[in-house]
Amino acid sequence: MTDSMQNKTYHEQMDIKNTVRLRELLQELPSFCKTYFRGIEPSTASRTRIAYAIDLKVFFEFLSANNPTLAGKPIKDIPLSVLSELTAQDIEEYLEYLKIYTNADGQTVTNNERGIKRKICSLRSMYNYLYRNQFVSANPAIQVAVPKLHEKAIVRLDANETADLLDCVEFGAVSSKRKQTYREKNKTRNLALVTLLLGTGIRVSECVGLDIQDVDFNNDRIRVVRKGGSEAFVYFGEEVRTALEDYLELRKRMTPVDGHENALFLSSKMRRMSVRNIEILVKEYARESVALKKITPHKLRSTYGTALYQETGDIYLVADVLGHKDVNTTRRHYAAQEEERRRKAKDMVHLRKD
């Protein structure tokens, strides 16, 4: 890692890597896509642009293989004029294609309703930009209905399950001696990490990006970088404080590899832990302590949000703490709790005193 990269924060480094990755993807896409991605850069995160580019590549591969006027033309040679010639029916054929198809590597790919919705939203974003800026004369993507998503039941931990999970991290044993030795070595870190996720509701990506200097014990808070790049302070309670203090005592004696000196949570290789590292860690402990539920780091976030809402009844506070830009997002997630509160309200107002 160069000196200039070492001096940048984790999030700045990720933005640089994502920018390089996007440039690589754009080499495979039609030339007009560069104009589109330059146009949306100020209003989108780098990870979002990469996701859009991957989705659009699927769309252009579909056109190349199925549109008679293109006759197998390489996707980077597809002209802008083609987009104005497509109809809503062409877009609907694309959505049907997305359910199951064979990609350029010969692999069979399937998409559920969420995957299809994401891809039509990516296509809509490109069409909206090009149409608004008069690069194309038609916008057939806007005429196609976005698939309706069937709401999934929110999986979260009950209070006793939360305790079981934390007990498993702190006291749990496994049959493999080698694995048990590894767990004991990393127990303080793992307990701090899981306690932090459960006690603040931060996203796993926000947890990964934490640096040592982001922890403020004077005010019992951490500084996180939210989706979209904005910064926020998230406050924690006594249990989180104790777990973090114990871990940071050990962290002082660790020697990270170059470029990872500031990272709060380090892997056994002395590098900043990745999202994948944390996902595996949480799933492993959850399988042993809460076998009937499929628990991921995001489910720990839901657990915190539910507990906070049950304690406060303030949906706006929950939205703010979780970093939701739109309170309706929070309301959809906790609709069941809101319905229960409304049901109880029927007995709270008495029209005549006994």
Side-chain angles (χ1 to χ4, degrees), residues 290-316:
V290 197
L292 297 181
K293 292 182 178 179
K294 187 176 180 181
I295 299 300
T296 64
H298 190 75
K299 302 301 188 295
L300 303 188
R301 178 170 159 82
S302 297
T303 298
Y304 174 80
T306 300
L308 182 61
Y309 184 61
Q310 288 174 341
E311 288 295 323
T312 66
D314 189 339
I315 198 71
Y316 292 94

Side-chain angles (χ1 to χ4, degrees), residues 177 311 342:
K177 185 175 180 180
E311 288 295 323
R342 286 194 294 270

Side-chain angles (χ1 to χ4, degrees), residues 20 29 83 102 150 170 200 257:
V20 172
L29 296 175
L83 296 185
T102 303
H150 293 84
E170 190 168 9
T200 62
V257 300

Side-chain angles (χ1 to χ4, degrees), residues 159-170:
N160 62 312
E161 293 170 331
T162 298
D164 289 344
L165 175 61
L166 291 171
D167 285 346
C168 183
V169 177
E170 190 168 9

Side-chain angles (χ1 to χ4, degrees), residues 15-29 33-34 36-38 40-41 44-54:
D15 276 341
I16 291 171
K17 290 179 181 179
N18 288 341
T19 298
V20 172
R21 172 61 177 146
L22 181 59
R23 287 177 180 173
E24 293 171 350
L25 287 168
L26 285 174
Q27 295 301 314
E28 305 174 45
L29 296 175
C33 287
K34 293 180 181 178
Y36 160 62
F37 280 103
R38 278 196 300 270
I40 66 170
E41 182 174 352
T44 55
S46 57
R47 286 192 306 169
T48 300
R49 294 193 295 277
I50 287 177
Y52 282 0
I54 292 171

Side-chain angles (χ1 to χ4, degrees), residues 69-127:
T69 64
L70 298 176
K73 181 178 290 191
I75 64 173
K76 64 180 182 179
D77 295 332
I78 293 176
L80 178 60
S81 58
V82 168
L83 296 185
S84 296
E85 297 167 1
L86 296 178
T87 65
Q89 288 70 35
D90 293 321
I91 307 299
E92 288 169 349
E93 285 182 17
Y94 170 58
L95 297 189
E96 178 63 29
Y97 164 85
L98 286 174
K99 293 178 180 178
I100 180 167
Y101 65 93
T102 303
N103 66 15
D105 297 324
Q107 300 171 320
T108 299
V109 180
T110 60
N111 281 283
N112 58 19
E113 58 190 16
R114 294 179 185 275
I116 293 173
K117 179 177 180 178
R118 195 193 73 184
K119 287 179 172 59
I120 187 60
C121 288
S122 298
L123 186 59
R124 273 188 170 189
S125 175
M126 181 188 69
Y127 257 110

Side-chain angles (χ1 to χ4, degrees), residues 151-154 156 305-306 309 315 318 327-343:
E151 292 297 327
K152 293 182 177 180
I154 295 180
R156 57 179 71 86
T306 300
Y309 184 61
I315 198 71
V318 176
V327 72
N328 289 319
T329 301
T330 319
R331 187 168 280 115
R332 284 196 300 272
H333 287 180
Y334 302 100
Q337 278 75 28
E338 289 219 296
E339 180 64 29
E340 177 63 16
R341 289 173 62 82
R342 286 194 294 270
R343 187 185 67 79

